[in-house]
Amino acid sequence: MLIGAVILVIVLVLVFWFIGVYNSLIRLKKRVQNAWAQIDVQLKRRHDLIPNLVNAVKGYMKFERETLEKVMEARAKAISAQGVGDKIQAERELGGFLGRLLAVVENYPELKANENVKQLMEELTTTENKISYARQFYNDTATRFNTKIEVFPDNIVAGMYSSKFEAFPLFEIEDKAEKEVPQVDLNI
């Protein structure tokens, strides 16, 4: 009888442990999904600003049609991307083309002086900063989740429900040029 009670206690402890681990994995997964939703909100704002900026600069930048077209193509690709991994890749591409557009705008003083363009550039810069913070939060949350599903003993529970607990991709810098430390020369 004592052995039966001990076995019952051990089984109950294991069941409660299992339930606790499962629920903590679900909570963390929901946090990652929420973090992604926050990025998605900012990306939507960015996608809405881009056509306005392109239309505002179109007349000034007759020689830069290719840049404008690439920005709009990348925007369309980013909007239609499905799944977190595809969206991350499409947004990286769009970010690169946006960076080129902003660099080109810097070469047109009359364009920089245009109030509409100035306001759109400020809004886009603010949105880019918000996206950056949201990506950082997403990466932190996704890393926490990804670590939890790989660490023993939680990986046992995650492995039992492997289709439910898959690792989330991270926003990472893939361009080697962006990873390099900038060289600053203050010699005059």
Side-chain angles (χ1 to χ4, degrees):
M1 179 131 154
L2 182 61
I3 292 177
V6 170
I7 291 174
L8 180 64
V9 168
I10 290 172
V11 168
L12 284 175
V13 167
L14 287 175
V15 166
F16 285 121
W17 168 81
F18 182 87
I19 291 170
V21 169
Y22 181 85
N23 287 341
S24 70
L25 287 171
I26 292 292
R27 274 192 296 278
L28 237 115
K29 182 178 179 182
K30 293 297 179 188
R31 284 188 191 133
V32 173
Q33 291 169 336
N34 178 51
W36 178 255
Q38 299 306 314
I39 291 174
D40 230 10
V41 166
Q42 297 306 322
L43 294 177
K44 167 83 170 88
R45 179 165 166 66
R46 175 207 254 177
H47 297 160
D48 292 347
L49 285 171
I50 290 170
N52 295 334
L53 181 61
V54 167
N55 287 333
V57 301
K58 219 182 250 184
Y60 291 97
M61 299 173 57
K62 291 177 177 49
F63 304 108
E64 306 291 348
R65 286 267 177 237
E66 183 181 346
T67 302
L68 296 174
E69 287 169 3
K70 286 187 176 185
V71 167
M72 293 308 288
E73 287 170 11
R75 175 187 176 267
K77 187 176 174 184
I79 288 172
S80 64
Q82 298 297 313
V84 175
D86 288 343
K87 280 191 178 236
I88 288 173
Q89 187 59 41
E91 289 300 331
R92 274 193 201 116
E93 191 177 314
L94 177 57
F97 286 122
L98 266 180
R100 286 188 207 144
L101 175 63
L102 297 179
V104 167
V105 168
E106 290 294 317
N107 293 330
Y108 291 86
E110 67 278 4
L111 190 56
K112 286 173 31 180
N114 181 302
E115 284 303 315
N116 190 27
V117 172
K118 255 199 244 182
Q119 180 184 356
L120 288 168
M121 296 279 286
E122 283 179 28
E123 286 183 40
L124 190 58
T125 300
T126 301
T127 301
E128 291 296 323
N129 289 337
K130 288 178 182 179
I131 290 170
S132 177
Y133 292 128
R135 283 179 180 164
Q136 182 180 2
F137 179 69
Y138 168 81
N139 278 348
D140 291 345
T141 309
T143 299
R144 216 172 299 132
F145 176 81
N146 292 347
T147 301
K148 190 160 181 76
I149 65 172
E150 292 179 11
V151 174
F152 182 81
D154 294 356
N155 65 341
I156 295 170
V157 176
M160 293 172 75
Y161 298 95
S162 59
S163 65
K164 198 170 205 166
F165 300 120
E166 295 176 2
F168 285 93
L170 301 177
F171 270 103
E172 297 175 309
I173 297 174
E174 288 188 353
D175 184 5
K176 290 181 182 173
E178 286 185 48
K179 286 183 178 183
E180 292 180 15
V181 177
Q183 300 296 318
V184 178
D185 185 6
L186 298 177
N187 294 329
I188 298 177

